[in-house]
Amino acid sequence: MTLSDILIKAGQATPSADNSQPWLFVTKASTFSVMYDSKRVLNKTFKPDAHATYLSIGALLENLNQMCREVKVTLQWNFPETFNPDNPVYFEAQLKEGNLNINEAEFANHPLFSRHTYRFPFQKKQIPSQIIDAVVAKKTEYAKAVVITDNNKIRDMASLVKDASQIRFQTQEIHEWLGRSLRFGKQAMQTRDGLDVATLDLPPGGSLFMRFISDWRRMKAMNFLGTHKFMSWVDSMPVKSAPAIIAIIGQAGFRETLSAGQLMQSIWIDLNEQGIAVHPYYVVPDQMNRLKDGVVPKDLQQQAEQVSKQTRNLLDLQENEVFHMLFRVGYPTKNNTKRSLRLPLDKLCNTIPTNS
Ligand SMILES: Cc1cc2nc3c(=O)[nH]c(=O)nc-3n(C[C@H](O)[C@H](O)[C@H](O)COP(=O)(O)O)c2cc1C
């Protein structure tokens, strides 16, 4: 295996919103680049320069760096001064060791391949303080993790998740993305992307219900009966009973958000390795970003402003700080839960001949 083969494998395992896997690995001569795959995902998920995409790309960078350390290779990543969505290269490096002879079995057990999303209930057991301290100590120049174990604060955050989620279930664009990314039954095996409903903690009949409301016209009609309230309540309940939640906080901007994504991924990998399950909740940061971008529907703007203000207070955010991601964490009640699949490598890679 070459170094680029191994990097691509590590990149493939990265988490992304709705498992959209928006990346494309391009190899031209000895240059290895990570790009947005506009052809495959544009208008189907977050845009190339969206906050959620930057977070995933940061997570991808963390995977690549962890793999480089594993195979004892140092790479110099180059980043664009400002990210250009029309030429969406996030970063690249020269692979001088392109022909490294790496044995697949040597790195296949790396913990980055076992990291996964867990959406089921947790045990009541608390997280040991030394694990919490290690999470907090991972702080970087641009991002930090705040661990909350106080029950009242956890309940307050759950309530904000509920409020943000209510906005989300009334927003056509987000609902249509979700509808398009849901995978039922064998579909998940066939497409190897999207949100496999078997990875969600749904009650009996839940899958059918999800299929029914995945059409925006139906959801919109059902919202007159309060379906958005019910769905957001269901969404936020697991946060309320979590033994701990983690907020990833940092600065706004391309490199800064990549850095937050790296921290998020590093914490996620470490916690999973120690048997602690992680369930990301993006809905609050998403609504805060949408509000900043002016894309929250008019009739929901006041609610979004309330969510943003209350979240900033709860997390004690400084003026220049932004909330990147929320994790619900705890010891799992279920083992070997279904994992999301990944697209085959030929869909994620593009090798450009040197003379083109
Ligand atoms: C930026 C980002 C946002 C995410 N938001 C959520 C979320 O709000 N709720 C959720 O259950 N999972 C969320 N996820 C988890 C993804 O759905 C998950 O990573 C993806 O389906 C792949 O599954 P895996 O993590 O098990 O590999 C998010 C992941 C990322 C990177």
Side-chain angles (χ1 to χ4, degrees):
M1 260 188 144
T2 64
L3 180 57
S4 88
D5 290 336
I6 208 183
L7 291 180
I8 288 164
K9 280 248 173 195
Q12 185 191 30
T14 306
S16 53
D18 295 337
N19 201 22
S20 54
Q21 307 167 60
W23 40 78
L24 179 70
F25 306 106
V26 179
T27 316
K28 184 175 180 184
S30 58
T31 307
F32 175 85
S33 316
V34 174
M35 299 183 64
Y36 185 82
D37 195 341
S38 304
K39 235 183 178 168
R40 178 167 51 83
V41 296
L42 191 64
N43 299 325
K44 293 187 186 148
T45 183
F46 289 94
K47 293 192 171 76
D49 54 352
H51 174 268
T53 309
Y54 287 167
L55 270 187
S56 290
I57 296 296
L60 196 154
L61 178 60
E62 178 63 22
N63 271 11
L64 301 189
N65 284 342
Q66 292 206 10
M67 191 44 75
C68 283
R69 281 201 290 279
E70 180 76 9
V71 299
K72 299 188 177 54
V73 166
T74 311
L75 287 182
Q76 174 67 48
W77 296 115
N78 294 313
F79 301 84
E81 192 102 352
T82 44
F83 176 75
N84 174 7
D86 297 324
N87 174 30
V89 177
Y90 296 106
F91 53 86
E92 53 193 19
Q94 298 300 317
L95 305 187
K96 283 189 217 82
E97 298 88 347
N99 290 324
L100 263 189
N101 210 356
I102 298 163
N103 177 352
E104 188 166 351
E106 268 177 44
F107 71 86
N109 289 328
H110 191 286
L112 77 84
F113 294 109
S114 313
R115 182 220 52 81
H116 63 283
T117 297
Y118 174 93
R119 300 189 177 92
F120 297 88
F122 292 145
Q123 300 172 29
K124 291 249 176 301
K125 193 172 152 187
Q126 293 300 314
I127 300 191
S129 58
Q130 67 271 25
I131 295 184
I132 293 179
D133 293 346
V135 167
V136 174
K138 279 182 174 281
K139 173 178 190 260
T140 65
E141 189 188 349
Y142 294 123
K144 65 179 181 187
V146 172
V147 184
I148 300 173
T149 52
D150 176 81
N151 281 337
N152 291 328
K153 277 194 163 187
I154 293 177
R155 260 200 297 273
D156 287 348
M157 184 50 89
S159 170
L160 290 166
V161 167
K162 178 164 67 57
D163 295 348
S165 189
Q166 269 199 30
I167 303 172
R168 183 211 160 292
F169 282 113
Q170 295 174 89
T171 305
Q172 181 171 358
E173 182 189 37
I174 318 179
H175 193 74
E176 285 179 342
W177 282 353
L178 176 73
R180 267 199 298 267
S181 58
L182 286 174
R183 301 285 180 263
F184 299 91
K186 287 199 180 111
Q187 250 183 347
M189 281 281 280
Q190 285 153 4
T191 65
R192 303 186 74 85
D193 67 356
L195 263 187
D196 180 351
V197 292
T199 67
L200 309 178
D201 185 20
L202 296 175
S207 170
L208 266 179
F209 183 67
M210 290 298 284
R211 198 193 278 266
F212 180 74
I213 61 159
S214 64
D215 181 317
W216 171 246
R217 285 163 306 179
R218 289 197 201 118
M219 183 73 196
K220 199 173 162 200
M222 298 277 289
N223 278 345
F224 284 109
L225 305 172
T227 301
H228 60 295
K229 291 190 181 160
F230 170 71
M231 294 295 286
S232 57
W233 175 78
V234 171
D235 198 27
S236 65
M237 280 305 277
V239 177
K240 208 170 169 182
S241 54
I245 54 175
I246 300 176
I248 309 285
I249 292 168
Q251 322 274 311
F254 167 56
R255 291 293 297 278
E256 292 83 352
T257 310
L258 251 53
S259 173
Q262 285 187 262
L263 178 67
M264 168 190 90
Q265 179 74 346
S266 161
I267 291 171
W268 197 342
I269 293 171
D270 276 9
L271 289 177
N272 279 181
E273 196 183 4
Q274 296 174 85
I276 296 170
V278 173
H279 182 175
Y281 274 77
Y282 187 60
V283 70
V284 176
D286 190 28
Q287 286 305 328
M288 290 172 81
N289 286 320
R290 293 176 66 83
L291 183 67
K292 210 170 57 202
D293 296 343
V295 293
V296 174
K298 222 165 173 201
D299 54 328
L300 299 168
Q301 268 169 19
Q302 212 179 344
Q303 274 170 266
E305 271 158 21
Q306 279 301 315
V307 168
S308 175
K309 199 168 131 209
Q310 288 171 17
T311 305
R312 295 194 74 88
N313 278 342
L314 179 69
L315 296 175
D316 203 13
L317 296 189
Q318 304 297 304
E319 190 107 358
N320 65 339
E321 285 182 325
V322 296
F323 178 29
H324 288 293
M325 177 56 100
L326 179 73
F327 280 169
R328 156 181 98 95
V329 299
Y331 287 93
T333 50
K334 288 183 174 205
N335 290 316
N336 304 320
T337 51
K338 187 114 189 268
R339 306 255 173 115
S340 287
L341 298 173
R342 289 296 186 278
L343 288 164
L345 294 180
D346 62 334
K347 289 235 165 99
L348 300 176
C349 300
N350 190 2
T351 305
I352 301 174
T354 356
N355 56 1
S356 67

